[in-house]
Amino acid sequence: MRVLAFLDGTLADPEAAHLRVDDLGLLRGDGVFETILVVDGRPRELRPHLERLARSAAMLDLPEPDLAAWERAAQVVIDNWSGPSEIALKLVYTRGIDGDPEAKPFGFALGVEIDEKVQRARVEGVAAITLERGIEPDLAERAPWLLLGAKSISYGVNMAALREAGRRGASDVIFTAADGTVFEGPTSTVVLARDKTLYTPPATIGILPGTTQAALFRGAERAGWSVKVEPLNVSDLTEGEGLFLASSVRKLTRVHTLDGVALTDSSAIHAELAAAYESEYAIS
Amino acid sequence: MRVLAFLDGTLADPEAAHLRVDDLGLLRGDGVFETILVVDGRPRELRPHLERLARSAAMLDLPEPDLAAWERAAQVVIDNWSGPSEIALKLVYTRGIDGDPEAKPFGFALGVEIDEKVQRARVEGVAAITLERGIEPDLAERAPWLLLGAKSISYGVNMAALREAGRRGASDVIFTAADGTVFEGPTSTVVLARDKTLYTPPATIGILPGTTQAALFRGAERAGWSVKVEPLNVSDLTEGEGLFLASSVRKLTRVHTLDGVALTDSSAIHAELAAAYESEYAIS
């Protein structure tokens, strides 16, 4: 099922047309988004997602989003959901109609079911490939117009990278720089487990700060792990006991194969870390 | 005025909603587009635009567009236009509904009026700035998943670059590599005039082959100019007698100021080249 709500709190038919063809979100990929996991009616990391939406909007010079309205729209979707226990809740915010000086941004919250492929990836893990992202790690700070670290709906390259993975017999990607610096997945944050320590690259290199990775790191620390946010090289990725992709709807997904080479079995560590992540949402 | 037509040849109200919010064109910037100039009912470079749409679609693994249907939709817009003599005719082609295995691509042709700002730029020229594009010229060939040279609707960075120009008191951008290689404008092709020769960078460095630039080069050659497609460095840009941005709706636009420095007055060369370009469309 799908449930759609607008920022004024109204419900709408998700299978009806709601968007003009000249919305800049469509014509120019000019907008931002978030995807939030909702489990048993409770959105995970709602505040960090909303704050990241606001940061992305600022990077695109969009009007500051009214976070209370976004939260209300999200709640309307949740309140009207009668599907499975989990929802992938998308928040999308565009610049509005092209060429209209009075144009108002367009925004909505859309709940969809968790894809069967995603559910399988959570359990079975994924084969991933490394692909060059074409940028260098020092660009984000000196070239803000490249929108590195903004969650923009101009996601065409991310989708193309996933199709490239498919052509190579894999299902996910880890973006790298020419010098081997590890960035992120097209829709996820890279996490490496080594010697009871979790590593993830810093957002300053031009990647999205991960909401799920942050929750995982909190949970893992409480479970006795150390956590480090520092640059990773592609050569590090095969030298840990576990390589993972963290994202809201996929949670923590094990990478079992990288560039065609099977990695050390990380099932036990995955189970431990997945439990640490889930403990963040345990009802006390 | 705006005129909207779909691929089956039907007209539709451009101010009505026609798109579901879960179209991948919106959610992921997953689609391609073209913008064609129509003058007095005649579309310019229609075939090159359609062929480029097909090439962009292939780069995004979209179903091959039915060019006859696109041409028909374009003609329906033209036939139903009662506005000014010029139309900016947009063709947009998206992957369709997210998560629907039966999803059909979504496509339309939309005619809009030429922006007043564009009309002024044609006459007065523009101030432009150079901005780093963050990629290197050899990437396009080795990293096709970056979609360099595809006219994708994931145009967020192009729009952000234009806003950055505005912040710096300019209105357009020339993208460059760290090594000074000249790429293109966010919505245009760079053309340099020097010693009765026109220069433009080769598409192989990861830029869009320009339809207007190609028409200009044909016209200029007939008018006695030499034309060369070869790499340009940012240092070349100030050493010619004229620097121009070529695009369908802006035609050939003079850059009068680059990075805050006034360039040699190229008004006379601009008039000569504009006439050479227009001669391509003279009714004999």
Side-chain angles (χ1 to χ4, degrees):
Chain A
M1 77 175 299
R2 300 194 166 194
V3 176
L4 172 64
F6 291 112
L7 294 185
D8 60 1
T10 56
L11 264 184
D13 177 2
E15 298 190 359
H18 297 286
L19 201 73
R20 285 172 54 155
V21 297
D22 51 2
D23 189 287
L24 286 163
L26 178 72
L27 292 181
R28 301 295 198 186
D30 201 357
V32 298
F33 77 105
E34 287 291 326
T35 308
I36 301 168
L37 178 64
V38 180
V39 182
D40 297 328
R42 296 195 306 156
R44 293 190 168 182
E45 307 301 319
L46 178 61
R47 183 51 46 179
H49 279 291
L50 290 173
E51 285 168 0
R52 194 168 67 180
L53 185 79
R55 277 201 305 280
S56 296
M59 290 175 77
L60 269 75
D61 303 305
L62 285 163
E64 189 180 342
D66 174 355
L67 296 189
W70 283 96
E71 192 167 344
R72 184 174 58 227
Q75 194 60 48
V76 169
V77 170
I78 294 167
D79 290 343
N80 287 277
W81 183 263
S82 59
S85 63
E86 290 189 337
I87 314 172
L89 176 60
K90 292 170 194 283
L91 310 181
V92 179
Y93 180 49
T94 85
R95 200 175 302 276
I97 304 300
D98 184 30
D100 177 358
E102 312 274 289
K104 289 211 185 90
F106 179 76
F108 61 88
L110 174 70
V112 304
E113 294 182 25
I114 310 287
D115 201 77
E116 193 265 329
K117 209 169 71 180
V118 167
Q119 309 219 32
R120 205 166 52 235
R122 285 180 183 170
V123 177
E124 297 173 4
V126 293
I129 59 172
T130 54
L131 284 182
E132 197 177 343
R133 182 64 186 81
I135 52 168
E136 295 308 312
D138 59 341
L139 259 177
E141 303 210 346
R142 75 169 193 268
W145 54 86
L146 297 178
L147 305 181
L148 299 169
K151 201 167 172 76
S152 137
I153 54 175
S154 282
Y155 233 51
V157 167
N158 303 49
M159 298 297 102
L162 293 175
R163 290 193 298 273
E164 177 71 15
R167 275 191 284 273
R168 299 190 191 181
S171 64
D172 218 318
V173 169
I174 293 177
F175 280 129
T176 58
D179 70 359
T181 299
V182 171
F183 287 117
E184 61 193 341
T187 65
S188 63
T189 312
V190 175
V191 174
L192 179 73
R194 187 168 59 193
D195 297 335
K196 199 76 180 176
T197 302
L198 294 183
Y199 296 84
T200 198
T204 49
I205 62 173
I207 61 176
L208 214 60
T211 52
T212 305
Q213 166 268 317
L216 167 68
F217 274 32
R218 288 198 311 270
E221 271 199 298
R222 285 197 292 108
W225 287 70
S226 298
V227 299
K228 287 189 178 168
V229 177
E230 60 180 49
L232 291 174
N233 193 282
V234 69
S235 61
D236 297 321
L237 299 182
T238 48
E239 290 179 4
E241 293 98 42
L243 175 62
F244 306 98
L245 295 172
S247 79
S248 299
V249 295
R250 289 183 311 176
K251 302 181 178 181
L252 191 68
T253 299
R254 215 159 37 94
V255 178
H256 57 62
T257 305
L258 185 65
D259 290 328
V261 178
L263 301 180
T264 311
D265 182 5
S266 62
S267 305
I269 291 179
H270 177 255
E272 182 184 342
L273 291 171
Y277 159 76
E278 291 294 338
S279 71
E280 285 293 299
Y281 308 103
I283 297 167
S284 53
Chain B
M1 78 176 297
R2 301 195 164 193
V3 176
L4 173 65
F6 291 111
L7 295 184
D8 60 2
T10 56
L11 265 184
D13 176 2
E15 298 189 2
H18 296 287
L19 200 75
R20 284 173 54 156
V21 298
D22 51 2
D23 189 286
L24 285 163
L26 179 71
L27 293 180
R28 301 294 198 186
D30 201 357
V32 298
F33 77 105
E34 286 291 326
T35 307
I36 300 168
L37 178 65
V38 180
V39 181
D40 295 330
R42 297 195 306 155
R44 294 190 167 180
E45 307 302 318
L46 179 61
R47 182 52 45 179
H49 279 292
L50 290 173
E51 285 168 0
R52 194 168 67 179
L53 185 79
R55 278 201 305 281
S56 295
M59 290 175 77
L60 269 76
D61 304 304
L62 285 163
E64 190 179 343
D66 174 355
L67 295 190
W70 282 96
E71 192 166 346
R72 185 173 58 226
Q75 195 58 50
V76 170
V77 170
I78 294 167
D79 291 343
N80 287 279
W81 182 264
S82 60
S85 62
E86 292 189 336
I87 315 172
L89 176 59
K90 292 169 194 282
L91 310 181
V92 180
Y93 181 47
T94 85
R95 199 175 302 276
I97 304 298
D98 182 32
D100 177 359
E102 312 273 289
K104 288 208 184 92
F106 179 75
F108 61 88
L110 174 70
V112 305
E113 295 183 26
I114 310 287
D115 200 79
E116 193 266 328
K117 207 170 72 180
V118 167
Q119 308 219 33
R120 206 167 52 233
R122 286 181 184 170
V123 177
E124 298 173 5
V126 294
I129 59 172
T130 54
L131 284 183
E132 197 177 342
R133 182 63 186 81
I135 53 167
E136 296 308 311
D138 59 341
L139 258 177
E141 302 210 347
R142 74 169 192 267
W145 52 89
L146 297 179
L147 305 180
L148 300 169
K151 202 168 171 72
S152 136
I153 54 175
S154 283
Y155 233 50
V157 167
N158 304 49
M159 297 297 102
L162 292 175
R163 290 192 299 272
E164 177 72 15
R167 274 190 285 272
R168 299 190 193 182
S171 64
D172 218 320
V173 169
I174 294 177
F175 281 130
T176 57
D179 70 0
T181 298
V182 171
F183 287 116
E184 62 191 340
T187 64
S188 64
T189 313
V190 175
V191 174
L192 180 72
R194 186 168 59 193
D195 297 335
K196 200 75 181 174
T197 302
L198 294 183
Y199 296 84
T200 199
T204 49
I205 62 173
I207 61 176
L208 214 60
T211 52
T212 305
Q213 165 269 317
L216 166 68
F217 274 31
R218 288 198 312 271
E221 271 199 300
R222 286 197 293 107
W225 288 69
S226 297
V227 300
K228 286 191 177 165
V229 177
E230 59 180 49
L232 290 174
N233 192 281
V234 69
S235 62
D236 297 321
L237 299 182
T238 48
E239 291 179 3
E241 294 96 42
L243 176 61
F244 307 98
L245 296 173
S247 79
S248 298
V249 295
R250 289 184 309 178
K251 304 182 177 178
L252 191 67
T253 299
R254 213 160 39 93
V255 178
H256 57 61
T257 306
L258 186 65
D259 291 327
V261 179
L263 301 180
T264 311
D265 181 6
S266 62
S267 304
I269 292 180
H270 178 255
E272 181 184 343
L273 291 172
Y277 159 78
E278 290 294 337
S279 71
E280 286 292 299
Y281 309 105
I283 297 167
S284 54

